[in-house]
């Protein structure tokens, strides 16, 4: 089954404790992206990757890092999380660029106290 | 600033009625306009998309209308059903682009 898998699905943590949200896709997609969803703001793009070792900033990259060492994986790293990063996060992938149908994971709800 | 403006924020429609959600954009370089549907606890899923070389695209009960001169596009759901109750997002990006911009979402409730 074609899917985008995110882990963990839920996490409560404290300010300053580094965390990583993993994202994996099994569709051999080249393009992957991270979004955060906040009430009243919709989804906003954090980072995207066009292929292995190729990443770029989206609209709201501050406080986040990403890496793309393998085609299937695109982890999101919060090195020093702060309460304003409490949000619902989605990973998505598409065949080879952003203006194509994107397949989304089911989300990771992060609460940073 | 919001690159894609979406309205209304919420919408209640009777079963069998027409649901209409509107979006507007400013960047004339945008030329891919999808709509995504999201159910609670799930990620968004592509519903229908349009490029500006056509003014309308229909897939089943879902239609996108596109007005290039007004820089607006809308989603029409005909014969709305309770199963259509979800949050709908419009979005935009450039052709060949990798940056993607979503609207703020519309929560649709279809009452039996």
């Amino acid at each position: 089954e074609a899917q985008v898998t995110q882990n963990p699905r839920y996490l409560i943590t404290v300010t300053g404790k580094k965390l990583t949200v993993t994202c994996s896709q099994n569709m051999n997609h080249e393009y992957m992206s991270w979004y955060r969803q906040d009430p009243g703001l919709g989804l906003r793009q954090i980072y995207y990757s066009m292929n292995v070792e190729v990443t770029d900033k989206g609209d709201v990259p501050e406080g986040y890092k990403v890496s793309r060492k393998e085609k299937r994986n695109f982890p999101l790293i919060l090195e020093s999380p702060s309460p304003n990063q409490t949000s619902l996060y989605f990973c998505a992938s598409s065949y080879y660029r952003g203006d194509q149908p994107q397949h989304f994971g089911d989300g990771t709800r992060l609460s940073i106290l | 600033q919001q690159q894609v403006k979406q309205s209304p924020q919420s919408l209640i429609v009777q079963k069998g009625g027409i649901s209409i959600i509107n979006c507007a954009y400013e960047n004339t370089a945008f030329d891919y306009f999808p709509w995504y549907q999201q159910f609670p606890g799930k990620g968004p899923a592509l519903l229908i998309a349009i490029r500006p070389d056509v003014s309308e695209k229909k897939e089943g009960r879902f239609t996108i209308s596109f007005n290039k001169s007004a820089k607006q596009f809308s989603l029409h759901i005909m014969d709305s059903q309770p199963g259509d109750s979800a949050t709908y997002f419009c979005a935009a990006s450039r052709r060949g682009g990798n940056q993607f911009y979503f609207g703020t979402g519309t929560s649709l409730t279809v009452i039996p």
Side-chain angles (χ1 to χ4, degrees), chain A residues 31 50 96-100, chain B residues 31-32 51 93-99:
Chain A
Y31 178 92
M50 292 77 77
Y96 66 92
R97 59 179 194 232
D99 66 336
Q100 295 177 325
Chain B
D31 86 342
Y32 174 65
R51 294 199 187 266
S93 76
R94 300 179 178 202
R95 181 180 294 272
N98 293 298
Q99 283 199 271

Side-chain angles (χ1 to χ4, degrees), chain A residues 31 37 45 48 98-99 102 105, chain B residues 36 38 51 96-100:
Chain A
Y31 178 92
Q37 182 175 359
Q45 192 174 37
Y48 59 90
D99 66 336
Q102 293 190 43
Chain B
Y36 280 80
Q38 184 182 31
R51 294 199 187 266
N98 293 298
Q99 283 199 271
F100 213 71

